Amino acid sequence: MTLLFFYLMAATVLTGGLGVVLIRSTIYAALFLIMSLVGVAGIYILLSVEFLALVQILIYAGAVTVLLVFALMLTRVEDLKERFDGEQKPLGAIAALALLGAFIAMWSQTEWPRDVDQITVVPFATISDALFGRWAVPFEVASGVLLVSLVGAIIIAMREGEEA
Amino acid sequence: VEVVSADVPLEHYLVLSGMLFAIGTYGVLARRNAVLIIMSVELMLNAVSINMVAFAVYTAPSLFTGIIFAIFIIAVAAAEVGLALAIVLRVFRNRGTANVDEINTLRW
C-alpha cells in the first residue's frame, strides 16, 4: 500500500518535471511545476516529515509559483516555437542521461546500511529545538539572506530615476 | 519515539531524486526562456531536498541534519527566485527579451 502511494507520488513528480521541461507553453509549464512540487510534498509525507510537506506546499507550490507566473506575465513574448528550446536540446538530453547514469553507478557501488526496516518519526518539537538551538546561527544568517535579497530585488526591479 | 516500518526501500527515493535532477538538468540546458530555466533549477533543488531528507530519515534519524538542510534549501530557494526574477524583469525592460541566447553582451 505504501509502495503503491510512493509510485503514485513518484509518477506525479516525474510527470510534472517532464511537463516543465518539455511543454511548449510557459503557463502550462508553471502548472506542471505546481504538480511536481505537490508530488514532492507527498514524498515528504511518505518519509514522515510532515512539517516539510506543509512548508513545501505553502512556500513552493504557493508563493514561489505565483512569483514565477507573475514574472511570466510581465515578460510576455509571443509563444514562438524557436523561443522555447535552443539547438542545445540533443546535447542537453545526452548530458542529463549521462548524469543519471553516473548517479546510479555511484549508488550501486557505495556502501551504506541497506537493510533499514523501520524509520523513526522526527516530531515537530525536536526539529524546532534543533533549529533554534544547534542551528541558531545559520538560521539567523538565513533570515539576513532573505532580507538582503528582498531589498536587492526591489532595488533591481525599480524603474530608473524613480524614487523609492 | 515513534517508529514506523519502512515499506519503501531507500534506493527508490534516491533513484527518484536522481531522475528529477536529470530532468532539471535537461531543462536548464535545453530551455531558452529565462523564467523556464529558473523553473528547472527549482526542480533540481527539490531533487536534492528529496535525497537529503531520505538519507536523514533512513540513516541518521537522531541527527536529522538532512531535514534541517532541506529547510534551509527552501529558504535560500525563495530568496534566489525573488532575486533572479527581478534580474529577468530588468533585462526584459532594457532589452525587450527574456531569451538567454539574445542576452550576449558579455560574450567573447
Side-chain angles (χ1 to χ4, degrees), chain B residues 69-87:
Chain B
F69 254 94
I71 293 173
F72 280 115
I73 287 174
I74 290 176
V76 172
E80 170 250 323
V81 164
L83 212 48
L85 291 181
I87 293 172

Side-chain angles (χ1 to χ4, degrees), chain A residues 1-10 46, chain B residues 6-9 12-13:
Chain A
M1 189 59 211
T2 317
L3 204 60
L4 193 72
F5 187 71
F6 173 82
Y7 284 125
L8 199 68
M9 282 300 134
L46 267 180
Chain B
D7 297 326
V8 187
H12 282 48
Y13 291 106

Side-chain angles (χ1 to χ4, degrees), chain B residues 31-85:
Chain B
R31 288 299 207 186
R32 301 279 41 97
N33 183 318
V35 182
L36 289 172
I37 291 179
I38 296 172
M39 285 186 198
S40 307
V41 171
E42 296 304 311
L43 289 181
M44 291 164 84
L45 287 169
N46 270 279
V48 174
S49 289
I50 292 178
N51 195 346
M52 289 202 172
V53 174
F55 265 122
V57 168
Y58 274 79
T59 63
S62 55
L63 280 172
F64 55 88
T65 316
I67 297 176
I68 305 286
F69 254 94
I71 293 173
F72 280 115
I73 287 174
I74 290 176
V76 172
E80 170 250 323
V81 164
L83 212 48
L85 291 181

